Amino acid sequence: MLQVAVEAAGGRLDKTLAALAENLSRARIQALLAAGAVSRNGEVLRDGSAKAQPGAYEILVPPVIAAEPEPQDIPLTVLFEDSHLIVIDKPPGMAVHPAPGSPDRTLVNALLHHCGASLSGIGGVARPGIVHRIDKDTSGVLVCAKTDAAHQGLSALFFRHDIDRAYVALTRGAPKPRKGTVQSLLGRSAHDRKKMAVLKSGGREAITHYETTALFGPSDRPTAARVRCRLETGRTHQIRVHMASKGAPCLGDAVYGSGSPAPAVRAAMAEAGLARQALHAQVLGFIHPITGEPLRFEAPLPADMARLEALLHAL
């Protein structure tokens, strides 16, 4: 907790807080502001250029994570691999890189063991080879770089949104309308910094194209649906937030799935053993950044989602 006195107020917020914090630089303060980790009287603050007001400021600094993850012998489902990149079908429950709550047993730890020490410098020490992410409890296709050239090339493709990415979501109810595009600003929720939200201002543009491919339960009032989502952008929790905004959150989503599914759907989820959001990165297509070869990969639904879909068909 930092206390800004009346006589110290009036200057830039980031500069004022950095002067008061013993172990936080101005750049670190700016990053924490951007992450929604700074608040005053319960209000999340994000603008470092705003004038500092007198009062108590709370700064939530995440725990320090080991700078260099250790290789761990964790089985991987490899869809493609050459000397430049590797494509993985990531299982649910595996974090992509070490973070608070997931210090090890991550995809990075597995890649360091699988690819060897040469991977350790690619794309930054803490996240070697990682070009994009999918949530810990989301399954599916993910590409990682094995060389600097591949990392730069893949990063450029993602920056230009020149990637074909399609997901399958099993949702509570069905989105309205059944097919369309959600285009919004997406950023940290002002009420809960751990959540993302559709914003009226600020945040980053997020675009999801979706189509309902199956309805479960009564046709006039479906209790669940299978929805194909194609990402034009790739923001944190994008599909989960966008589906919730259409009134059809992913089944099993403890963060964005407000409201309870119908009893028959809950029973199907329990029987299928679904213990996470029902979201799967099914398709990933791109041009190989080194060879120029068109590549496209498709991963089948994992066991929990496949079983749940079969049970939903019987409703």
Side-chain angles (χ1 to χ4, degrees):
M1 191 76 71
L2 296 179
Q3 188 73 37
V4 175
V6 174
E7 57 270 22
R12 281 182 61 107
L13 177 60
D14 54 3
K15 188 175 182 180
T16 302
L17 294 180
L20 293 171
E22 294 183 1
N23 300 315
L24 298 175
S25 67
R26 184 174 174 184
R28 182 65 170 137
I29 290 289
Q30 290 171 340
L32 290 167
L33 283 163
V38 180
S39 61
R40 175 179 174 271
N41 297 330
E43 179 187 359
V44 175
L45 306 174
R46 301 180 185 279
D47 186 2
S49 66
K51 289 185 178 180
Q53 302 297 320
Y57 290 77
E58 183 179 10
I59 302 178
L60 300 176
V61 181
V64 175
I65 302 168
E68 298 187 15
E70 294 294 324
Q72 292 179 307
D73 187 2
I74 304 168
L76 292 173
T77 300
V78 178
L79 304 180
F80 174 87
E81 183 176 10
D82 64 10
S83 58
H84 306 287
L85 54 85
I86 182 170
V87 180
I88 302 295
D89 182 3
K90 187 189 81 68
M94 173 185 275
V96 170
H97 55 73
S102 300
D104 61 2
R105 307 293 298 175
T106 71
L107 179 59
V108 162
N109 298 108
L111 287 173
L112 287 171
H113 180 272
H114 180 88
C115 300
S118 62
L119 186 73
S120 62
I122 306 302
V125 173
R127 302 178 183 182
I130 301 304
V131 182
H132 68 125
R133 296 179 296 169
I134 54 180
D135 297 335
K136 177 180 179 179
D137 288 329
T138 297
S139 54
V141 191
L142 186 142
V143 61
C144 303
K146 295 172 67 176
T147 65
D148 281 318
H151 192 278
Q152 293 167 10
L154 287 169
S155 295
L157 291 175
F158 278 94
F159 180 77
R160 298 195 304 265
H161 310 308
D162 198 10
I163 299 280
D164 180 19
R165 282 182 287 176
Y167 287 65
V168 171
L170 299 177
T171 65
R172 174 171 60 79
K176 298 178 181 179
R178 301 288 189 251
K179 179 180 180 181
T181 296
V182 184
Q183 184 169 359
S184 73
L185 295 173
L186 209 64
R188 295 284 175 185
S189 168
H191 307 290
D192 184 346
R193 71 182 189 86
K194 294 181 180 180
K195 295 177 64 174
M196 306 299 287
V198 171
L199 305 177
K200 293 182 178 179
S201 62
R204 304 174 69 185
E205 183 181 46
I207 303 173
T208 303
H209 307 284
Y210 72 92
E211 179 179 6
T212 305
T213 58
L215 296 173
F216 309 111
S219 58
D220 59 333
R221 195 173 180 181
T223 53
R226 175 180 171 131
V227 182
R228 179 180 171 88
C229 300
R230 186 173 65 81
L231 290 181
E232 189 167 323
T233 59
R235 311 304 181 202
T236 301
H237 298 178
Q238 178 174 319
I239 292 175
R240 296 166 63 190
V241 175
H242 277 173
M243 286 297 95
S245 76
K246 303 303 290 184
C250 295
L251 290 172
D253 193 333
V255 178
Y256 303 105
S258 59
S260 180
V265 176
R266 291 202 306 271
M269 292 167 61
E271 185 174 340
L274 184 80
R276 47 110 179 186
Q277 64 265 7
L279 184 62
H280 177 66
Q282 185 182 46
V283 173
L284 182 67
F286 57 94
I287 301 297
H288 194 298
I290 307 300
T291 68
E293 177 187 2
L295 299 174
R296 185 180 187 277
F297 305 95
E298 185 167 344
L301 289 181
D304 57 352
M305 283 185 64
R307 177 61 176 155
L308 176 57
E309 184 178 15
L311 292 168
L312 292 175
H313 272 294
L315 295 181

